[in-house]
Amino acid sequence: MNDPVHGPSVEPSAAGAGTAGPAPATVVAGLVLSVLLGAVTAALGAALPVLRSAYGTGDAAGTEVVVAYNLGALLALLGSGPLERRLPGRSVVSWLLAAFAAGCAGMAVAPAWWALTGCALLTGLGFGGLVLYANTAFGRPGGARGVRLLNWLHAAFGAGATTGPLLVGEWGAVRELLWAVAALTLCCVPFRSAADGSPTGPGPRRPVRAGRPPSAALVACAAVALLYAGVEAGIGALEATHLAATGHTPQDAARLSALFWAGLTVGRLLLPLAARRVPHPLLVLGSLLAGAGALTAATDPGLAPAAYGLAGICLAGAFPTLLAWTVTVLPGPRRVSGVLLTANLAGSAALPFLLGHVTDPAAPASVPLALAALTLVAGAALLTAVRAARPTSQHALPPA
């Protein structure tokens, strides 16, 4: 179904013109669900001090809960395809909703730390699968509409990721938050229709230049997703440390670090306006270059808090727009979404750890400089992806 307001950034045929997007009820349920997913994902880290106190564990405990959650998400991403070949898509989504809700409820009542960790694994299984279905369904229309829907989805996740830690930090309401999320997840049953129209098999094949199979573009796009995830997660992990090293108190540094997440959420709400007029690869490249510039400005201690907020606005549309473009120009939207989301999760887990080892606490500017450098490497990977996908894309960057 064509949308007359898309403007010049619409691909009328690349992804199959007329590809139906999710129904309104699915969109609403998906946005509510994305808020819940974001709230739990971000609250787990913020809640660790409260949980340690409640369970009487040492200061070193806690990371296994987050690891179990991420491991469950990764297993869900890898297993959703084989599972859907044995069960109808709607049944798979129903089981994922049940797993996420049951995992949250289980964490709320877990009698011991080992039980909490096991329930975190179950919650992560639901999270990973639901994220895959949501991104696939919202990005299915392609063009500006796909970008708009994906940015709404990621903005909703950002809103939840901001709200969850605030609730935990202000009131210590860990169990209350988990119970509320479990109950509200059961209200997202209309999201089951996200499985409609997203076959697991490859989509229609498109012309491909000899020696440039679609997998080459997919690998390059996955590299962009991995590197971008490292930037976003690296800012979340290292920003407060950098601000504290430049003279802010730990409390002020923690509060000021929220500017990045606020910028990320606001940027994802505003980006669809640009997506109607700017070719998608160019938009991703512009986001990465602008983000690198903002991160470089963060080397100035006086500008650092505002620069991180600006970096959030600049980087907001990079991954949603990349995902919307990739599922448009490559066959097999479910496979494409799964590969990019898996790469994104891997980057979020691995690269902040590496960034922490290559930056020097005695040289605070090394933090934003390392993040800016990683952003530029992501931009270089994007150029490789554009060249590999050019035969199938109407949005290739203009020749130099």
Side-chain angles (χ1 to χ4, degrees):
M1 181 173 59
N2 293 326
D3 187 335
V5 301
H6 279 170
S9 68
V10 178
E11 298 111 343
S13 61
T19 301
T26 305
V27 172
V28 173
L31 293 176
V32 172
L33 183 62
S34 190
V35 172
L36 302 178
L37 296 174
V40 172
T41 302
L44 276 182
L48 286 180
V50 177
L51 293 173
R52 291 188 190 109
S53 176
Y55 287 92
T57 62
D59 291 340
T63 55
E64 59 268 28
V65 174
V66 178
V67 169
Y69 183 81
N70 290 326
L71 176 61
L74 182 59
L75 292 174
L77 288 172
L78 297 175
S80 61
L83 184 61
E84 194 173 279
R85 286 194 285 270
R86 292 170 173 80
L87 292 173
R90 285 188 173 225
S91 296
V92 175
V93 175
S94 297
W95 281 108
L96 292 171
L97 289 168
F100 186 73
C104 288
M107 285 194 291
V109 299
W113 192 263
W114 65 266
L116 180 72
T117 304
C119 290
L121 177 67
L122 179 62
T123 309
L125 283 169
F127 166 77
L130 292 170
V131 163
L132 173 58
Y133 274 95
N135 279 275
T136 301
F138 277 56
R140 190 182 307 136
R145 186 175 182 228
V147 173
R148 183 169 66 250
L149 289 173
L150 281 170
N151 276 283
W152 287 354
L153 183 72
H154 286 248
F157 186 92
T162 302
T163 303
L166 287 176
L167 293 175
V168 172
E170 291 293 328
W171 295 289
V174 182
R175 287 188 169 86
E176 292 81 357
L177 173 65
L178 291 170
W179 275 120
V181 168
L184 291 172
T185 299
L186 299 178
C187 299
C188 296
V189 173
F191 183 71
R192 292 185 305 168
S193 61
D196 297 341
S198 53
T200 55
R205 292 286 175 177
R206 304 179 185 98
V208 181
R209 181 190 303 165
R212 293 278 192 171
S215 58
L218 183 56
V219 169
C221 288
V224 180
L226 184 144
L227 294 167
Y228 169 76
V231 174
E232 184 177 311
I235 293 173
L238 301 174
E239 178 186 0
T241 300
H242 171 233
L243 294 176
T246 58
H248 296 278
T249 66
Q251 295 77 13
D252 286 342
R255 282 191 287 267
L256 289 170
S257 66
L259 287 173
F260 171 72
W261 299 108
L264 206 63
T265 302
V266 171
R268 283 172 176 166
L269 293 173
L270 297 177
L271 190 84
L273 299 175
R276 297 177 181 178
R277 300 171 178 84
V278 182
H280 294 167
L282 188 60
L283 191 57
V284 177
L285 182 62
S287 296
L288 293 172
L289 293 179
L295 289 169
T296 302
T299 57
D300 185 323
L303 296 177
Y308 279 117
L310 179 61
I313 295 174
C314 294
L315 294 170
F319 182 68
T321 308
L322 173 73
L323 184 58
W325 173 68
T326 308
V327 299
T328 297
V329 300
L330 295 179
R334 177 65 57 77
R335 174 173 172 263
V336 168
S337 296
V339 169
L340 263 65
L341 289 168
T342 301
N344 188 266
L345 182 62
S348 296
L351 292 182
F353 176 81
L354 296 177
L355 286 169
H357 281 74
V358 301
T359 54
D360 184 1
S366 64
V367 172
L369 287 176
L371 291 165
L374 190 61
T375 307
L376 292 176
V377 175
L382 176 68
L383 294 176
T384 301
V386 170
R387 284 193 292 270
R390 184 169 287 160
T392 67
S393 172
Q394 297 185 24
H395 291 298
L397 293 176

